[in-house]
Amino acid sequence: MTLSDKVLDGTVPHVDADSMNLPARKLRTTQRPPLTLHDRAMDDLRYIRETMERSGSFTHVSGLGVIAMGLAALTAAVVAWGTQELWVWLGVWLGAAVVSFAAATYLMDRKSRAEGMTLLTGPGRKFAWNVVPPLVVGAVLTLACVQAGAVRLLPGSWLMLYGAAVVAAGSHSVRPVPLMGVSFMAVGMAALLSPAAWGDGFMAAGFGGLHLLFGMVIWRRHGG
């Protein structure tokens, strides 16, 4: 009689795993518990928000911050006007630049947080990366011009490099921003082609007047 016949005949006893002291094995499952509707909706919203942040425009340029930069520049122009001492003149304008960028950064950060975002999220990071390189070039050029005795080139160079930075960053921002950058470049070009004595006047017109003008436009149209 074959083994299969014994099984059918019932002569082969039933072997119980407990009687043989064999450990019971648990079946492994690779299935995850299904997501709830709330969790799935939150994941979808998070994905949509991150996609919009990466591809959208940087709308957190603060109009009030730009106005503050203009006021700081006009104050510096009044103090620096007619100053004969080179280091005093440089200190006034560089100090105004530090104050201006600190105020603008603070107000942009406040505007971003009011909308539930950080300043360097998505387009904000692209905006910063386009602004920084021309400003670094401006800092190096300032040292080179001072060492070479070509200080008369600084007003026009500052205006043009700042304008180039704003134009580049404006490709990720609202429309008035790149227009402001082009205006700065035009004023800087005029300053480079004009007598050196007009430098403070062009600085006041550019860093003061253009900042006030475009700051008002940005504030009225985009807030902050």
Side-chain angles (χ1 to χ4, degrees), residues 76-160:
V78 171
V79 176
W81 191 275
T83 300
Q84 300 298 324
E85 183 63 38
L86 171 61
W87 295 107
V88 175
W89 182 84
L90 278 174
V92 169
W93 280 111
L94 294 179
V98 172
V99 171
S100 297
F101 282 108
T105 301
Y106 168 75
L107 291 170
M108 282 195 296
D109 182 66
R110 190 179 71 171
K111 183 177 179 180
S112 298
R113 293 183 184 279
E115 298 183 15
M117 299 174 62
T118 60
L119 186 60
L120 295 180
T121 299
R125 189 181 299 108
K126 298 177 183 178
F127 186 92
W129 276 112
N130 281 276
V131 167
V132 170
L135 298 183
V136 173
V137 172
V140 176
L141 184 62
T142 299
L143 294 175
C145 287
V146 171
Q147 290 180 350
V151 180
R152 64 173 301 273
L153 300 177
L154 287 180
S157 300
W158 285 345
L159 287 162
M160 290 199 71

Side-chain angles (χ1 to χ4, degrees), residues 25-106:
R25 294 184 179 181
K26 294 183 179 180
L27 294 178
R28 295 182 179 179
T29 175
T30 59
Q31 295 182 350
R32 296 181 179 178
L35 293 174
T36 64
L37 181 61
H38 175 268
D39 292 336
R40 186 173 301 173
M42 292 302 295
D43 288 341
D44 291 341
L45 289 174
R46 188 179 301 109
Y47 173 77
I48 293 172
R49 181 176 179 178
E50 291 175 353
T51 302
M52 292 179 65
E53 288 175 355
R54 288 192 297 266
S55 61
S57 296
F58 182 66
T59 60
H60 298 157
V61 175
S62 171
L64 293 178
V66 177
I67 292 173
M69 296 177 78
L71 293 175
L74 289 178
T75 303
V78 171
V79 176
W81 191 275
T83 300
Q84 300 298 324
E85 183 63 38
L86 171 61
W87 295 107
V88 175
W89 182 84
L90 278 174
V92 169
W93 280 111
L94 294 179
V98 172
V99 171
S100 297
F101 282 108
T105 301
Y106 168 75

